[in-house]
Amino acid sequence: MGVSLMMGSGIFSTPASILGLVGTPSMALILWGLGAVISFGGATAFIELGLMYRRNGGTMRFLAHAFPKPKLMLAYLFSWVMIVCIRPGAIAANGPVIGKYWLYAAGITDSSGWQARAVGFGCITFVTALNIVSAKWSLRLINLLTVVKIVVILVIVITGIIAAAGGIHVAHNDNWSRGFAGTKGDAHAYASALTKVFWAYDGFTNLVYSLGELRRPERNLPWSIGGAVVIVGVLYIMANAAFFIVVPIDVAINSEEILAAEFTFRVFGRSVGQIALPVMIGFSVFGAICAQTYGVSRLLDSANEVGFIPYGRRLCGNHRRLGTPVNSLAAIYALTLLYLLAPPPGKVFDLLVDFVQWSTWLFYGLAAAGAIVLRYTKPHHPLRTFKSFHPLNIMFIAFCVYITVFPFVPPSDGVSDTPYPFYLSPLLGLIATLLGLVPWYFRMAWWPQKTGINLMAWIEDEDAEDTREELDAERHQQEQMADSGERGSEDSSGKGEQVETATSDGQAKVEPVIVNQ
C-alpha cells in the first residue's frame, strides 16, 4: 500500500529537468539516491509522530501537538497552504504532463503547451466529476491505475537492465563514460533539482492523513512508510539509470517531461514505444491526479473536524443524495483551474512544481523538528512505540532548509534557465503561506474572543488524554515494581525461616533451601 501511495508522476516528469540542472547523469543519479536517504530520514520522523497520534490529519495534527503556540498557527498555516495551494497546484502541474504523453503518442507537436493544458483540463474535469458522482468508482479507478503505474515502472527498470547487459541493442552514447565532466556547481540549480527530486518522493507522507483508518499501525505503519521509501528509491534510481543508458544526454534534456516516452520509443520502436507505452505512462500520471483529488476530501474533513474552517458543515459536508463532498470538490476544482490556466506559456510544470514544493517542504521540515521537540517535551508518551534516529531527522531538516532558502539565491551566472525570474516560484510559495495569517487571525484569535468558543479545546483534550494514558502507564509500572519488591521480600524472609527451622530442630543434616532456581 505504501508503494502505491508514494509512486506518483514525478519519476516520469522530472528526470530530464534534474539532468539539465546538474549537468551529468552521474550527478543526477547521486541526487536521486540522496533523495531516497533524506526522505527515509523524514519518513522515520513521520512514523514516530504517526504512532503517537493515530488519528486522521497527519502533518496538521503533528504540528499542532509539537507547536501549539501561538494558537495553533503552524498547524493552521499548513492546512491553509495544503488546501489552497499545494494540492490544487500539484493537480494542475500533472494535468499538462498527461497531455504531453498522449500528444506524443498521437504524433502531435505542441510547442505552446496550450494543447497539453487542454488535455489536462479535460482529465481534471473528468476526475472531479467522477469523485462527485461516486466515491466508490473513484477508488476503483485509482486501484486500476495503480496497477498500470507499477507495471510501467517495472517495464522501464527491467528493460534498462536488459539493455545494460547487451540484450537489447541501443545506440551507444557517452552518458556514463563522461563521468562527472560537465557537472554544474550552482547552489541555486541544485536547490531546484532537489525540489524536483523530492516532488517524486513526496508521497511517503500520504498514509499519515488517514491513520485513523489504518489497522495495527504499530506494525503496519513502519513497513508501509519506511519500506515504501526504500523500495521506491531503488526503483527510481534504476529507472533513471535505464533512461540514461538509452537516451543521449542532449536528447534527454530537450525531451523535458516526456523523457520516458523517448526511452520507450528508442527501445521498442513506433507501435509499442511511441504509442502504447506513452499512453500507459499518461494513464499513470492520470492515476496520480485521481489519488490527489480523492485525498483532498480527507484533508478538508480533518481541518473541519478541528474547527479550522468556518461553516464547515456547509462547505465540507457530504451531499445528501450523492454522499460525496460536492462543495469541497468544486472549490478545489476552481483553484486547480486557476493554477492550470493562469501561468503564461512555457515551462508551466517547473513553475508549479517549484511553487507547491516550497511550502510543502517548509512544513515537512517543521514536522520533523516537532518529532525532536516532542521527544523532550513528552518523553514518556504512551504510544511512542517507535523512535526515529535523530541524526537522520536533522539531515532531513537541513535539506528542507536548503531547498526553502537557496531558491532565493540568484544563479551563479546571474541568468535564469526559465522564462520567469528565478525567485518567482519560491516567492509565490512564501506569499501564499503568509496570506494564511489573515484567516488564521480572524478564525483562531478574533472569532474565539468574540464568541467565547475555544477552538484549541481539541488539542487540549488530546493532550489530556495522552497525559492520562501516560500516568496510567507509570502507575501500572510502579505497581508492578511494588509487587515485585513485595514478592522478593517474602521470598527472602521465607528462606530465613526455613533455614532457622532446619537448624533448630536438632537434626545433624541441614538441607539448603534454593529459591528461584
Side-chain angles (χ1 to χ4, degrees), residues 166 187 193 300 315 389 402 423:
L300 286 163
L315 294 175
F389 186 48
Y402 177 77
Y423 55 81

Side-chain angles (χ1 to χ4, degrees), residues 166-395:
I168 298 176
H169 175 71
V170 293
H172 177 72
N173 61 61
D174 64 345
N175 286 356
W176 300 114
S177 60
R178 69 171 58 206
F180 292 95
T183 300
K184 299 178 182 179
D186 182 23
H188 175 87
Y190 277 84
S192 182
L194 281 171
T195 297
K196 292 173 176 60
V197 168
F198 285 133
W199 165 267
Y201 284 108
D202 182 14
F204 75 81
T205 65
N206 285 338
L207 190 59
V208 300
Y209 295 105
S210 55
L211 279 173
E213 304 164 27
L214 182 65
R215 296 180 180 179
R216 300 184 65 182
E218 65 280 352
R219 186 195 69 175
N220 293 326
L221 189 63
W223 285 108
S224 295
I225 295 182
V229 172
V230 173
I231 294 171
V232 170
V234 171
L235 290 175
Y236 282 180
I237 292 169
M238 295 179 71
N240 275 272
F243 294 149
F244 302 140
I245 287 170
V246 173
V247 185
I249 184 171
D250 55 339
V251 178
I253 293 174
N254 291 328
S255 64
E256 298 183 344
E257 289 89 38
I258 57 171
L259 173 57
E262 185 66 34
F263 167 85
T264 57
F265 172 66
R266 288 173 176 265
V267 172
F268 297 104
R270 175 173 173 74
S271 55
V272 175
Q274 189 175 348
I275 299 176
L277 284 173
V279 169
M280 292 182 66
I281 294 171
F283 274 115
S284 299
V285 182
F286 187 80
I289 286 182
C290 293
Q292 290 166 337
T293 303
Y294 182 83
V296 165
S297 60
R298 294 171 185 262
L299 294 172
L300 286 163
D301 283 344
S302 298
N304 178 46
E305 178 187 351
V306 299
F308 284 172
I309 300 177
Y311 307 105
R313 290 184 180 179
R314 183 179 303 175
L315 294 175
C316 304
N318 288 342
H319 190 273
R320 290 183 179 179
R321 184 172 60 85
L322 297 174
T324 56
V326 174
N327 293 335
S328 299
L329 290 167
I332 296 298
Y333 177 70
L335 287 169
T336 301
L337 293 188
L338 175 65
Y339 294 125
L340 176 68
L341 302 175
K347 295 187 176 181
V348 62
F349 176 79
D350 290 339
L351 174 68
L352 288 174
V353 167
D354 292 345
F355 163 56
V356 302
Q357 288 295 87
W358 191 89
S359 300
T360 299
W361 293 95
L362 168 68
F363 286 104
Y364 285 177
L366 288 170
I372 298 176
V373 169
L374 288 169
R375 189 79 66 87
Y376 295 96
T377 57
K378 298 181 181 180
H380 305 296
H381 195 284
L383 295 179
R384 185 187 279 114
T385 55
F386 176 93
K387 289 187 177 181
S388 57
F389 186 48
H390 279 176
L392 278 177
N393 301 155
I394 292 171
M395 180 178 66

